[in-house]
Amino acid sequence: MSAPLIVSIPHSLGREEAKRRLKTGLSRATSRLPILQVDQERWDDSRMNFRVRALGQAAHGHVDVADDHVKVEVALPFLLQRFAEMAQAAIRERGKLLLTRK
């Protein structure tokens, strides 16, 4: 297995507001990407463990929410590793949209 995909996204919302936004953000993000399906999403304090499916392949990871940043770590199966750069950019872009002050 290769190294996990890691994305760190800074924010200025504080931990609780960032968590609130992320709790609704994953389901909204997947509704816009029909090839991505959420199999599992479980929160344990400030960490969300998840399992998603894309192109028939399962990936799992976690999101750690801190006061000033969010760290996403995803283990991609071999067949999805070729899309790692695209996934990293999409995670970063969607994360910035969710975590920008409004």
Side-chain angles (χ1 to χ4, degrees):
M1 170 130 329
S2 68
L5 176 107
I6 299 173
V7 179
S8 184
I9 306 163
H11 68 80
S12 59
L13 300 170
R15 185 184 313 247
E16 292 306 314
E17 177 61 13
K19 279 175 37 180
R20 185 190 69 75
R21 291 184 185 198
L22 290 170
K23 284 182 178 182
T24 61
L26 184 59
S27 59
R28 283 189 315 207
T30 57
S31 70
R32 294 186 178 135
L33 295 168
I35 64 165
L36 186 64
Q37 173 186 353
V38 178
D39 289 341
Q40 177 186 12
E41 178 182 341
R42 188 183 77 247
W43 282 89
D44 182 22
D45 193 29
S46 293
R47 174 177 272 203
M48 175 184 63
N49 293 293
F50 64 88
R51 180 180 157 103
V52 294
R53 186 171 301 278
L55 304 172
Q57 300 292 308
H60 66 279
H62 59 268
V63 178
D64 290 313
V65 182
D67 291 332
D68 61 350
H69 72 282
V70 170
K71 180 179 164 189
V72 180
E73 189 169 323
V74 185
L76 296 173
F78 177 73
L79 292 174
L80 292 180
Q81 288 175 6
R82 66 172 37 174
F83 302 105
E85 283 184 33
M86 187 171 35
Q88 192 172 31
I91 291 167
R92 185 171 284 116
E93 180 182 322
R94 184 66 188 152
K96 284 181 182 178
L97 286 173
L98 282 172
L99 298 170
T100 300
R101 277 210 181 268
K102 294 179 184 174

